[in-house]
Amino acid sequence: MSVMSGEGALAVFARAKELERKGRSIIHLELGEPDFHPPAPVLDAAKSALHEGKDRYCPVQGVPALREELAAYLNHTRRLNVSADNVVIAPGCKIALFMAMMALIEPGDEVLYPDPGFPGYSSITLGVGGVPVPFELAERNQFQPDPDEIAAKITSRSKVLLTNSPGNPTGTVYTDKVQRRIAELAVQHDLLVVSDEIYARIIYGGEYASMLRYRGMEERALIIDGFSKSFAMTGWRLGYTVAPAHIVPALNMLTMNSYTCVAEFTQYAAIEALRDRQGATPRMVAEFAKRREQFTGHLNRVPGFRCAPPEGAFYAWVNITDTGMSAEEICRIMLEEAGVAAIPGAAFGPSGNDFVRFSFASSAATLKEAVERILKVSTAWQGTPAGR
Ligand SMILES: Cc1ncc(COP(=O)(O)O)c(C=O)c1O
């Protein structure tokens, strides 16, 4: 336990909540949680399932009807060729990731992962006895992974290569060229690829390319995905892994020894979410697209802030070097003096040091007010010379 770490977002959230309890008005831009809820047919499906008595222990790997629906959904939306047998349902993406890592990593195995990246990547790796090996998502590369850097960091102990496109916190959608090179490296060095595709539906142009589409990946890539972001179902705790056939038994063994199965009625509601008869997901993404333009435009008016509109996900990743202050100090001033909660970039790894992450999963009016509040307190750093 001593090697694992928490999440910066949750720490900021706790402090923001404390201030709220004292009567302060707080704008929450720290959590990666859509401000949408699932549409009525999904809620109705959950209610019907409960009334039909679907509240029992159910199959370890997940309800077959949901796994069938997921296979069809993935094959349709990502042009894949997976079967229901490859799908393992989990209570959230994080637990899907945790189980996959537990299944794949032996003590001392090295895991290559993006930095900045989701905090769980390094923490879970350490927790299962692995060795985290970060590869940088640098601003000079538009936050794309550098396959040459990855190649240079591969050793005889390398076991897993973690990818996350679109990425948290940078919003980067990996280019075809980068993904092709990553796939080639994985084949060449016999690595497993764990592709966290939780933001796959939230992209602002182009067609999504899953890692599973690349040559040689069918045998060695696992997709981690779920319902938290694309279907605005964070609290339902629903995720899944798509794994090669030879890895599925290990995931089932871990499930059997831990959570047994995912709540049955939520799985039936998830089928309805996937069918999305009302087009809720495209509508949500269209709304995010509008906010993305507006919010990043407004943030760039804050002295010392610099950010480009992300290609995917719903985060603004802002370089604050020109404020002359640390990201921690900027976040402290924003929260304590302006009531705007955001996360210092170092919470996502050392390469995030000079950045702040804002979630734009809040209404356009709220985002506008957040920037107005920040502009007011920015006198604290205005006039500070650029650089440190
Ligand atoms: C990249 C990434 N992976 C996984 C997760 C966890 O998802 P879930 O809420 O389904 O456990 C998140 C949540 O913020 C995330 O950003």
Side-chain angles (χ1 to χ4, degrees), residues 7 32 91-95 97 118 121 164 166-168 196 198-199 224-229 234 237-239 315 357:
E7 272 189 38
C93 281
K94 227 194 251 183
I95 198 83
L97 177 68
F118 184 57
Y121 299 152
N164 177 214
N168 175 8
D196 181 344
I198 188 168
Y199 296 102
I224 306 290
D225 199 347
F227 294 79
S228 300
K229 318 286 178 178
T234 48
R237 309 312 301 135
L238 273 169
Y315 306 110
R357 191 196 80 171

Side-chain angles (χ1 to χ4, degrees), residues 126-177:
L126 287 165
V128 299
V131 180
V133 180
F135 57 85
E136 190 182 355
L137 304 183
E139 193 175 20
R140 64 177 181 283
N141 294 336
Q142 286 79 48
F143 305 107
Q144 291 286 332
D146 173 359
D148 292 333
E149 180 196 348
I150 296 175
K153 288 184 168 169
I154 293 173
T155 72
S156 59
R157 292 309 310 256
S158 302
K159 182 74 174 284
V160 166
L161 210 167
L162 250 161
T163 59
N164 177 214
S165 170
N168 175 8
T170 60
T172 316
V173 175
Y174 295 10
T175 63
D176 174 60
K177 194 172 160 203

Side-chain angles (χ1 to χ4, degrees), residues 82 86 104 161 163 183 186 191-195 197 210-214 216-224 241-247:
V82 301
N86 299 113
L104 304 179
L161 210 167
T163 59
L191 306 178
L192 291 152
V193 173
V194 174
S195 178
E197 302 188 359
S210 166
M211 274 308 296
L212 204 49
R213 287 242 306 255
Y214 290 82
M217 290 302 98
E218 233 162 79
E219 282 311 296
R220 59 181 71 250
L222 288 79
I223 295 178
I224 306 290
T241 305
V242 180
H246 65 278
I247 292 171

